[in-house]
Amino acid sequence: MSVTGSDLLGILAVGIVSVTALIAMLAGVFLKNSARLVMWLGLAGMAGAFAAAWGTYPSAGTAFGGMILAGGYASFFGMLILCAGILTFLLASDYLRKEGVEYPEFYVMVLFAVSGMMLMSAAADLIIVFLGLEIMSVSLYVLAGFMRRREKSIEASLKYFLLGAFATGFLLYGIALIYGTMGTTDLAGIALRFASAPPPSLFWVGAGLLLGGFAFKVGAVPFHMWVPDVYEGSPTPVSGIMSTGGKAAAFAAFLLVFVKSLGGGGAKVQTLLAIFAALSMVTGAVIAIAQKNLKRMLAYSSIAHAGYMLTGLAAANQLGESGVLYYLVAYTFMNIGTFGVISLIEQAEEKRLEFSDYAGLGLRQPFLGIVMSIFLFSLAGIPPLAGFFGKYYVFAAAVDAHMTWLAIVGVLASVVSVYYYLRVVVFMYFHEGPEGAEVISVPLLGSVALLLSAAGVVGIGVFPSSILSLTGWFF
Amino acid sequence: MYPVIGTVLLFPLVGFVVNGLLGSRLKSEKIVGWIGSGAVGLSFLAAVVTLLQMLSVPADLRAQTVNLFTWITAATGTEGSLNVSAALLVDQLSIVMVLVVTGVGFLIHVYSIGYMHVDRGFWRFFSYMNLFIFAMLVLVLADNFLLLFLGWEGVGLCSYLLIGFWYDRKFEKSTTSDAAKKAFIVNRIGDFGFLLGMFLVFTTFGTLKFVSVSRQAMAFAPADPRIFWITLLLFVGATGKSAQIPLHVWLPDAMAGPTPVSALIHAATMVTAGVYMVARTSVLYALSPATMTIVAIVGGATALLAATIGLVQNDIKKVLAYSTISQLGYMFVAVGVGAYAAGMFHLMTHAFFKAVLFLGAGAVIHGMHDEQDIQKMGGLKKYLPTTYWTFLVAALAISGIPPLSGFFSKDEILTKALFNGSTLLWLVGFLTAGLTAFYIFRLFCLIFEGKPRYSAEIHPHEAPPAMRIPLIILAFLSIGGGWVGIPAALGGGNWFGRWLEPVFQPAASVSLLVPDESRVIEHLLMGLTFLLAVGAIFGAYVLYIKREELVKSLRHRFAGPYKVLLNKYYVDEAYDAAVVTPIVKGSQKLLWKWFDVGIVDGAVNGVARLFWLFSNVTRRVQTGVAQSYAVVFMLGILFAIWWLVF
């Protein structure tokens, strides 16, 4: 099989990111104090990749003999993940300097993680799913432990690695069983076989293992145990990209396998997903209430959000699927934004991460107060912000799929969630700050990232159809 | 079709954003003021361009929908789908509203530059005002219920923000914030009705677009109960926004805001939104005679009762507030008898002369150093000549003296009330017209005529040009604004009515009303109303200038009724006794002590304890030990496999 031009065009975006990562790595090795240079190089690479993804978006197809999706769906996720990557870069540089760990390797690893995520979301074959997942995961293991002198960071890295390896094992075994029963790892081929005859029960064992592996990556209950420890311990911008780009990639593959290929997988799979969704929404929302540390609160909140998105997946109808994609875009902007503000407020040695540290912030630092409020209101699902429409679409999809109970659980969980999101706002605006609290100077790149995220949250909230028209034809 | 209509909305929004974000840094009041006023002025120009375009096409092509973007799309399977566009319905009706809102709005913005001079919240004021204009334009241009509701809530928010604008000032027995909250909470009741009405519209018609709803409704039988409930619930919303009985109590308190706000929001534009909404959904109302009767009765009762309260109030702005409530009642009488065009006509003329009255009152308050009690004024004619003349013009207009604008619009409503409604309804309107002329000239005489009753330390002064010029322009509009609607009985062509005819034609075609018209009676009615107004003005003049002692003896003789009026029929007290106190007491005694502490707290604490237990269980699982995490993972996998295989 020879590689054709259209193959290369199909993977242009992810190719640009990978090549940039390699060049950046070499630059980091051979040039001294090259962190800043590497950052700009990476930004340029990702911007180029974004343009490539945008350019190839209209021509949807496959490349490399049906191994990889090109254009369309893959481009959409590529652009989303690249947004997450770009925002992470903008937020990270000052954070790393503040924490005294500004090394080029950070950017290189983020670039590798981004390329893995993009690959995973473009998979047309289970092998590619696995390949992308591993590239992403290994990079994230390293990033989680990037502050290698900090105990919590090391702990996060180790736990993530151990449990991640565990989950990968199951996932790979699931792929093996599916290959064994269906005779192919090609998603289109599996779809054909699945549609023509009911698969043997061994296939369902494989599907269960695979489903568990994906659920682990998106952080859904009961595969969520790693999430709080890892999000809390990782450097804050890493938690940001883990919870957004990582989740987007995992959901992209989840959708490709279970919805596009297996057509929702039938009532049993849908009910199972609904159960996991309900558990995630409730567990995430309830435990988040008790948290004092903002990063830990956001970790539980991200479990709840995984539950909302799983609701759309469980519904397995057109509204649910485009709803999940919309939700991912919304979630990416609002969550990176929130982690971004946290990373600015945070001080070295994990200080200033508690709710009480935000007392009086809204008046002391109006800019941070306003953008943080936008993100939190959106996370809580208040219209007209993006978070509201995300929830609206997945709940409406659940109702359409005759899972009204799931929508009710979801709505109740989001009512509970309002408490812990708005609690931050209450601290920011209705509590007096300590005497002589210092005013943090907001770095330029950081404020650009926050402005972009806030514009995204407001923009796609006011114009939700802009995203829906991009994704409407995928399903 | 109407390419510039989008910019009508855009300018005020930009003004809001610019002043809102940068206003505090722009040190110059001039820049802030001109950004704010200029945004509305440009918006007005764009509206004029749109009007000219509309005039250049035949009448049946004038109504156009301008789609801005698709707002919400959600296929909800079996029930039909919810598709809402941010689309503007540009037709003869909405363009009238747009012109009034931006035109009067622009003049009031300019006036505010003078009025709000040296206020520390200057930029905040202008950004809120621009936001208000934007929201109001969304309301009147919306092509569907949901977008209208967005504007509806937006103007409510701005009203709240601007009533409580001087949040640190005292207002009557409490604070301006309390007045703002009262307005907001009372409006919540109305808005709840509106929301329910909107839900019912969607379940009945499967769409929220005005045009589609109207088209589908034409096929409904008259007096269909669904239509009745829809219109009634929507009207509940209108009573809140337009301060009609029983939800009128917030508007007098809304006078806590700066006077330009009272002029723009609480007289000329926002409070007329209810009338506009009824006119916009005229087909639905035409199909429900029962609701129409309710609308007309509520309107008539409000007109009369508010006018009587206005007779005895001593706060300059309170008199005007009750006058506004009363005039809004007139408009509801008009739409309640199917005379939508007459209601809109009065809406427009009222916007002109009531704006003058409020702005004039503002000039007086400004010139008297924040004095609002008319008992402490008098003889201001020579100190504030411009204010005096403009106020006189507007007072004559609202009294219905020909050929000023108020005469034509009021006359049309009274005529229609008799022809389409009933004699009683006409009588109510007729009496109100007399009361109106009386209270407005009582106000006028006490402010401008007679001897000064204020302390010698106050030196009244005329307003600056920024305030005077808008007053003069609006005074001219109060004179000539009615000439677009001179009735046929007086040899006019009622151009305004014919302009709106295409919009209300569908409603007229389904209406069951059989108008009974006679030109002879029309002339008679006009003569009667005119005589009554002149008589009332003369009465006010005699009582408050010539024979002041008569007022005292009258007050003495009718001490009982006087007290009732002075206390506004004790409606606030009644609401306190019937609603507020029971809720407060009930929540303290019953809900708080028993239900809250006993049951809710019990339950909450119970739930909290449950969560605590649950939390403890999960915390035990969340040990931080990776092995136990793996165990949970394993259990999850086993469950998934078991579920899928068996």
Side-chain angles (χ1 to χ4, degrees), chain A residues 159 163 166-167 170 205 208-209 212 216 222-223 225 229 268-269 271-272 286 300 319 389 392-393 400 462-465 468, chain B residues 69-77 82 611 618 621-622 624 626 629-630 632-634 636-637 639-641 643-646:
Chain A
K159 276 186 184 161
L163 290 164
F166 193 66
F170 283 101
V205 176
L209 294 172
F216 174 85
F223 311 98
M225 306 291 286
D229 291 0
K268 268 192 166 178
V269 173
T271 315
L272 184 65
V286 168
Y300 283 107
L319 183 61
F389 283 103
Y392 172 76
Y393 290 131
D400 265 5
V462 177
F463 305 101
S465 47
L468 294 183
Chain B
F69 58 90
T70 309
W71 186 20
I72 302 170
T73 43
T76 53
L82 175 66
F611 279 162
T618 38
V621 182
Q622 194 87 38
Y629 293 4
V632 177
F633 185 108
M634 198 56 219
I637 287 279
F639 173 75
I641 292 175
W643 181 273
L644 291 177
V645 175
F646 299 104

Side-chain angles (χ1 to χ4, degrees), chain B residues 16-17 55 74 86 91 177 183 193 204 320 447 486-487 504 554 572 607 623 634:
Chain B
F16 158 67
V17 171
L55 284 168
D91 65 359
S177 316
T204 307
L320 293 177
I447 298 173
I486 298 175
F504 299 128
L554 277 176
D572 273 325
V607 171
T623 45
M634 198 56 219

Side-chain angles (χ1 to χ4, degrees), chain A residues 69 73 76-77 80 120-121 123 126 129 187 191 210-211 214-215 218 247-265 269 273 309-328 394 471 474-475:
Chain A
L69 293 175
Y73 188 88
F76 173 80
F77 271 100
L80 175 61
M120 191 174 169
S121 61
L126 287 174
V129 172
L187 286 175
L210 196 60
L211 191 145
F214 284 137
V218 301
K247 203 169 270 202
F251 264 109
F254 212 151
L255 275 166
L256 284 174
V257 175
F258 279 89
V259 176
K260 273 193 124 172
S261 184
L262 302 185
V269 173
L273 288 174
M309 293 183 236
L310 274 182
T311 302
L313 222 67
N317 48 21
Q318 205 262 339
L319 183 61
E321 287 141 16
S322 46
V324 173
L325 298 198
Y326 179 88
Y327 206 121
L328 283 167
V394 293
T471 61
F474 294 161
F475 301 99

Side-chain angles (χ1 to χ4, degrees), chain B residues 44-65:
Chain B
F44 175 69
L45 289 182
V48 170
V49 170
T50 307
L51 175 71
L52 293 177
Q53 285 178 323
M54 201 179 271
L55 284 168
S56 69
V57 295
D60 54 334
L61 293 178
R62 282 177 184 158
Q64 297 283 341
T65 304

Side-chain angles (χ1 to χ4, degrees), chain B residues 361-373:
Chain B
V364 170
I365 296 167
H366 191 76
M368 293 288 288
H369 306 286
D370 290 336
E371 181 58 71
Q372 299 201 16
D373 190 345

Side-chain angles (χ1 to χ4, degrees), chain A residues 286-310:
Chain A
V286 168
I287 304 189
I289 293 178
Q291 301 306 319
K292 290 198 186 69
N293 180 305
L294 235 67
K295 275 168 88 176
R296 218 171 158 80
M297 181 275 273
L298 276 182
Y300 283 107
S301 115
S302 97
I303 293 170
H305 282 284
Y308 299 130
M309 293 183 236
L310 274 182

